[in-house]
Amino acid sequence: MTVKLTKPDWLRVKAPQWERVGTVKEILRDLGLNTVCEEASCPNIGECFNAGTATFLIMGPACTRACPYCDIDFEKKPKALDPQEPENLAEAVRRMKLNHVVITSVNRDDLPDGGAAQFVACIEAVRRVSPQTTIEVLIPDLCGNWEALAQILDARPEVLNHNTETIPRLYRRVRPQGDYARTLELLRRSRELAPSVYTKSGIMVGLGETDEEVRQVMQDLRSVDCDILTIGQYLQPSPKHLPLQAFVTPEQFDAWRVAGEAMGFLQVVSSPLTRSSYHAEQVRELMRQNPR
């Protein structure tokens, strides 16, 4: 029997100001760009688009993995990469006057480098057009291709983000093509290869994990010297997606934030509506307070 959970008040968001949202959408459509805000049905799309920020989704919109929690389309053989995408992305950054940009991608397991070269091209294009903009890349696990990881880090984004997503016990169900140890290894190698780059990871909760299991993941991330952690509530995109097990209270999110800060994370963003790139622009202040 399926029990329907009622969405609590703390998960309700304000209706966006569609005039500003429309302006951002027009720029994206004009340049043929995708955003994870739209493709993954993010609940913060109104707030972020109103603020003129967006997380660009490159090499998409279809993904070569079919994670049961994710609302991005699955396609075993996605389209060829768009050679104009890096320049178009940089132009969007210029038009939107972004101080901080987040560049993420679908998984492209069909490519030998997992799309690393496209990440590099996007970083370089933004640097040419808007050198004052700080850059965060949210990358897939690249199937453990550490040469590809080094290629991305050599382009020197300010932040290297790779999401852990969930606790080890739930990996097979939540992230069947992922590997918990590989995720930790990617973050460990990132710190080793580029000590000046801030590393970041995120998890979602409400899938059946315990408080103790979440804290163990936090400890594991600190063991590889991860700088920034995000924790947010999983929301089931549709009935066909992975079922939600629980709505986690704001008090529990606060407890994880306090615990994470005590563990030594430079920043812990923990709330029901937190997503990987939610308020990512705050990293500029973090960099000022903790220069590398």
Side-chain angles (χ1 to χ4, degrees):
M1 183 177 72
T2 302
V3 178
K4 184 172 175 60
L5 298 172
T6 303
K7 184 182 287 188
D9 289 340
W10 64 74
L11 276 169
R12 304 188 189 282
V13 296
K14 293 180 180 178
Q17 298 172 11
W18 286 108
E19 182 178 352
R20 182 65 175 115
V21 170
T23 301
V24 175
K25 280 180 174 285
E26 284 173 14
I27 293 172
L28 298 172
R29 294 298 84 78
D30 182 46
L31 296 169
L33 296 169
N34 300 300
T35 65
V36 76
C37 323
E38 296 171 291
E39 300 300 330
S41 306
C42 179
N44 303 314
I45 186 170
E47 180 180 350
C48 294
F49 276 20
N50 282 337
T53 65
T55 297
F56 295 99
L57 181 72
I58 63 173
M59 299 185 279
C63 184
T64 55
R65 298 188 189 180
C67 298
Y69 67 86
C70 185
D71 203 26
I72 292 177
D73 291 337
F74 166 71
E75 202 169 287
K76 189 175 288 187
K77 293 183 179 180
K79 296 177 183 176
L81 298 182
D82 177 4
Q84 193 59 37
E85 184 174 56
E87 298 302 327
N88 287 343
L89 189 153
E91 173 61 14
V93 169
R94 186 192 69 78
R95 291 190 198 177
M96 294 168 67
K97 299 180 175 64
L98 299 185
N99 291 320
H100 184 78
V101 61
V102 182
I103 305 169
T104 190
S105 78
V106 293
N107 282 280
R108 290 299 301 260
D109 295 340
D110 58 313
L111 302 173
D113 70 349
Q118 192 79 340
F119 269 107
V120 171
C122 288
I123 293 169
E124 292 175 345
V126 172
R127 293 267 190 252
R128 286 193 297 271
V129 170
S130 186
Q132 80 286 352
T133 299
T134 48
I135 299 173
E136 176 177 329
V137 290
L138 171 54
I139 67 170
D141 63 21
L142 306 170
C143 295
N145 184 337
W146 306 132
E147 290 182 5
L149 174 64
Q151 190 179 351
I152 294 171
L153 288 166
D154 283 345
R156 286 297 184 269
E158 276 74 18
V159 181
L160 188 291
N161 187 353
H162 174 61
N163 282 336
T164 308
E165 302 294 10
T166 189
I167 61 167
R169 176 173 59 83
L170 295 176
Y171 246 66
R172 183 170 292 184
R173 182 159 64 92
V174 176
R175 201 181 191 188
Q177 291 164 283
D179 183 276
Y180 185 74
R182 186 165 63 199
T183 281
L184 292 177
E185 181 67 4
L186 184 152
L187 292 164
R188 185 191 70 77
R189 286 177 180 262
S190 296
R191 166 63 67 246
E192 184 180 274
L193 290 166
S196 65
V197 174
Y198 298 83
T199 54
K200 177 177 178 180
S201 193
I203 61 174
M204 52 190 173
V205 294
L207 288 165
E209 67 292 317
T210 66
D211 173 63
E212 183 179 354
E213 287 173 317
V214 171
R215 289 172 187 258
Q216 184 58 56
V217 170
M218 295 165 70
Q219 291 283 8
D220 290 346
L221 289 170
R222 282 302 300 137
S223 75
V224 294
D225 207 15
C226 182
D227 294 310
I228 304 166
L229 173 67
T230 61
I231 308 175
Q233 171 74 54
Y234 168 68
L235 296 175
Q236 186 178 356
S238 78
K240 69 180 181 180
H241 287 85
L242 202 62
L244 172 70
Q245 299 299 314
F247 287 115
V248 179
T249 66
E251 291 75 20
Q252 179 63 75
F253 281 104
D254 285 343
W256 285 326
R257 176 184 55 77
V258 171
E261 289 170 351
M263 290 178 193
F265 287 100
L266 296 182
Q267 182 187 50
V268 181
V269 184
S270 177
S271 75
L273 286 170
T274 291
R275 295 296 179 268
S276 298
S277 51
Y278 187 46
H279 290 175
E281 72 282 354
Q282 293 175 357
V283 77
R284 291 171 67 90
E285 177 61 20
L286 179 145
M287 291 166 61
R288 188 187 68 78
Q289 293 177 358
N290 302 274
R292 293 254 167 93

